[in-house]
Amino acid sequence: MADKYNLDYFDDDKVAAQRSQYRREHRQPANRPAQGGRRPAPTNRSNVHRKPNRRLVSRRMRNRIIIVGVGILILVLIIAIISSMFKACTGSGKKEKKVDETIPPTQAATTQPATPSASASALNFVTPNIQDDKTAGYMGTNAYIWKGAAFELFGGDEFRAELYAESINSYQQKLSGIKVYNMVVPNHTEMGLPQRLKNSDAPSDSQAENIKQIYSKLNSSVTPINVYNKLAEHCNEYIYYNSDHHWTGLGAYYAYTAFAEATNQDVLDLSTCTENKVEGFTGSFANTNDGLKTDTVSYWTFPYNVTMDITDSNGTVSNYDSPYYQYAEAGSNTYSLFIMGDNPLTVLHSDSEKGTGKKIAVIKESYGNAFSPYLTNNYSEVHIIDFRYFGQNLADYCKQNGITEVLYLNGIMSANTQVQLDSMDGLLN
C-alpha cells in the first residue's frame, strides 16, 4: 500500500489524469449532456436502478396468491375437523351414533331406505297422570331418589332413535319370510317421576318422543308394539320396582296385553292365574343408594302347563317344569326368578289350547325375562334369545326350528346404547 504521506496524492495534474483514465476504463459519461440534449445510456448496470420485470412481478404475485389460497383452505379444513370432533364428542349432531362418537348405520339400512308404516295408534302417545305430592328428591348414585324409589334418568336424541330403527329394519330384511315385531319399553322415570322434577332437579329427556321417533322410522315389514300407553294408563300401580331398574311382573303383563291386542290375539286373563310373591327384593340401585324401599316380586302361574329348557354358554341343556324359579329368596337376585335369569337360550313349551303350534322368538335383554312367560298363552313354543350371549346365527336358528315370528324387545336405555346394537348385529352377521 502506498505511503499516505506520498506527495503524489496532492499532484492535481496527476489526479486529473487518473480520473480521466478511470472514466475511460469504466465508460462513465461525462457530466455534460451528449449531442441532442440526451445523456448516453449508462453501461455500468450495477449502479443503475432498473424498471421491474413485469413477467417476474406477475409470477411473484401469482405465487403469493397461491400461498394465501392454500393457507385459507388449510384453515377451513382445520375448523371443519374441529367442529365435527366437537359435535361427535357432545352428541349434538342430529345424524352421532355412542353417545360421544359417530356410529355408522348398518349396510342393509343404508342401501335400502326405510318406508315408514307405523299405524296411527302406534304413534299416538298418551301422557301418564303421575301422582305428585310436590315433595323434593335428591340426586343419588346413578339415579334420582324420590319418595324411597330410584329413577334412572334418560338421555336420548333423534340420531340414536334412527340408528336403532335402521338396525331393526336391517334385521327384518335378513329374516326372510318371518314376521318381525319391535317393542321399546319406557323405564320408571317416564311413568313414575313428575314432569316438574324432570324439568328441574332430575333432567330427563322425553322417552315418548324417543320411542315415537324409532317407530316412525321402521319400514312397512316391521310392526311396532306401543306398550307406552298401557303402562301410562296404570302408571300409579306397582309396575316398576323401587330399588331396581326393571319393571315388575304386573308391568310386564300390561305390556303383554298391548302385544296381544296389536297382533289380534286373545289376552291372558290374569284372574285365571295364581299369584305368587317373594318379599324383600333389594335391586340394583340398593347397592349404591340408601333409604330405598324394598320390593315384592310377584309372578303368576298359569292355568296350563309350561316347561322350560335352558341352554347355557357351554351348550348344556337343563330342564324345568316351570318358567319361574319357585325357590327364589329375598335379596339382590330375586328378579332372576323370571326364566332363571339371563341365559343364551331359553325355550318355553306350552300346552295352552290357544297356542295352536305357533312359535315365536323373543330377542331380548333382561326386560324380556318378566314378559316372555305370558306369551305361552298364545304360542306353543317361546324361544327366548338373549342377544348378549347367544352364539348362533338367528336366521339359521329360526329356519331350523320352524319359527315364523320374531319380537325384538328392549328397554329404552338399551335401545339407545351402542354396545347393545352391536350385540344384536352379531346375531345376523
Side-chain angles (χ1 to χ4, degrees):
M1 181 176 180
D3 187 346
K4 65 179 180 179
Y5 293 109
N6 192 327
L7 294 178
D8 288 342
Y9 282 95
F10 302 97
D11 190 336
D12 292 340
D13 293 336
K14 196 171 188 177
V15 170
Q18 288 175 346
R19 289 178 178 174
S20 177
Q21 182 178 355
Y22 177 86
R23 282 196 297 268
R24 285 195 303 273
E25 289 176 353
H26 294 276
R27 298 183 180 179
Q28 292 285 354
N31 292 330
R32 67 179 180 277
Q35 292 181 356
R38 297 178 61 187
R39 295 179 182 274
T43 57
N44 186 3
R45 298 179 182 269
S46 61
N47 295 323
V48 178
H49 294 285
R50 295 175 296 173
K51 292 183 179 180
N53 187 305
R54 293 183 179 180
R55 185 174 300 174
L56 179 60
V57 171
S58 176
R59 185 182 303 114
R60 289 176 177 173
M61 182 64 69
R62 184 172 61 254
N63 290 344
R64 289 172 181 171
I65 293 174
I66 291 174
I67 292 172
V68 172
V70 171
I72 293 174
L73 179 59
I74 292 174
L75 181 61
V76 170
L77 289 175
I78 291 174
I79 294 173
I81 292 172
I82 293 175
S83 176
S84 63
M85 291 174 64
F86 176 79
K87 289 182 178 180
C89 292
T90 59
S92 61
K94 291 300 178 183
K95 185 85 177 160
E96 58 148 66
K97 316 84 198 202
K98 226 239 224 190
V99 123
D100 51 27
E101 77 234 29
T102 302
I103 306 170
T106 58
Q107 182 177 359
T110 56
T111 56
Q112 184 172 348
T115 303
S117 67
S119 64
S121 60
L123 297 178
N124 180 30
F125 287 72
V126 301
T127 302
N129 185 19
I130 300 169
Q131 293 179 355
D132 184 5
D133 63 1
K134 305 302 181 180
T135 59
Y138 62 92
M139 197 66 207
T141 303
N142 299 323
Y144 187 79
I145 312 302
W146 184 63
K147 295 175 63 175
F151 298 86
E152 189 175 20
L153 305 183
F154 170 71
D157 54 33
E158 184 177 358
F159 174 72
R160 294 187 179 279
E162 185 169 344
L163 285 172
Y164 181 80
E166 288 175 346
S167 296
I168 299 297
N169 289 336
S170 71
Y171 305 153
Q172 181 276 322
Q173 292 163 8
K174 295 177 181 179
L175 293 171
S176 178
I178 294 176
K179 180 61 180 175
V180 175
Y181 310 103
N182 180 61
M183 177 189 296
V184 179
V185 182
N187 70 13
H188 196 187
T189 300
E190 188 79 355
M191 296 296 164
L193 196 63
Q195 191 61 44
R196 68 175 177 87
L197 293 175
K198 287 182 280 191
N199 289 340
S200 57
D201 294 347
S204 187
D205 293 334
S206 170
Q207 296 177 33
E209 186 63 27
N210 186 263
I211 297 172
K212 185 184 298 184
Q213 290 167 347
I214 291 173
Y215 287 0
S216 68
K217 298 295 183 179
L218 296 175
N219 67 34
S220 59
S221 297
V222 178
T223 301
I225 307 298
N226 183 340
V227 302
Y228 187 99
N229 291 348
K230 283 288 183 181
L231 295 170
E233 291 172 9
H234 300 276
C235 66
N236 294 309
E237 299 178 33
Y238 190 43
I239 59 174
Y240 292 91
Y241 296 115
N242 298 305
S243 65
D244 195 71
H245 63 283
H246 293 107
W247 55 7
T248 66
L250 181 61
Y253 170 76
Y254 289 134
Y256 156 75
T257 63
F259 174 81
E261 291 172 0
T263 55
N264 298 314
Q265 300 186 85
D266 292 334
V267 176
L268 173 68
D269 185 354
L270 208 57
S271 66
T272 65
C273 305
T274 301
E275 184 178 3
N276 307 272
K277 296 181 179 181
V278 178
E279 305 286 353
F281 174 41
T282 53
S284 56
F285 294 126
N287 297 328
T288 53
N289 294 281
D290 296 327
L292 299 181
K293 298 176 183 177
T294 58
D295 289 292
T296 300
V297 178
S298 294
Y299 63 98
W300 285 260
T301 53
F302 308 123
Y304 49 83
N305 293 323
V306 178
T307 60
M308 177 170 63
D309 300 330
I310 294 179
T311 303
D312 64 20
S313 57
N314 296 320
T316 302
V317 180
S318 301
N319 309 112
Y320 303 88
D321 58 4
S322 171
Y324 310 108
Y325 181 59
Q326 298 169 321
Y327 305 102
E329 298 178 349
S332 60
N333 293 319
T334 314
Y335 184 77
S336 295
L337 69 80
F338 296 106
I339 67 169
M340 301 285 286
D342 297 321
N343 290 285
L345 174 64
T346 303
V347 181
L348 305 182
H349 301 271
S350 170
D351 65 3
S352 169
E353 295 179 355
K354 299 175 182 178
T356 63
K358 293 189 298 181
K359 301 179 181 180
I360 187 172
V362 180
I363 313 304
K364 62 87 186 178
E365 31 87 304
S366 55
Y367 260 80
N369 297 6
F371 172 89
S372 298
Y374 297 113
L375 294 176
T376 58
N377 181 65
N378 308 97
Y379 296 87
S380 297
E381 292 183 14
V382 180
H383 296 246
I384 307 166
I385 294 172
D386 195 313
F387 58 78
R388 297 167 296 180
Y389 312 114
F390 190 71
Q392 303 179 46
N393 180 275
L394 178 59
D396 293 342
Y397 180 86
C398 290
K399 183 177 181 180
Q400 293 166 5
N401 290 276
I403 295 170
T404 57
E405 299 175 53
V406 169
L407 167 64
Y408 282 90
L409 188 159
N410 279 280
I412 188 74
M413 306 299 284
S414 178
N416 285 267
T417 301
Q418 178 61 28
V419 67
Q420 301 292 68
L421 294 184
D422 291 341
S423 294
M424 287 196 295
D425 288 347
L427 295 179
L428 289 165
N429 290 336

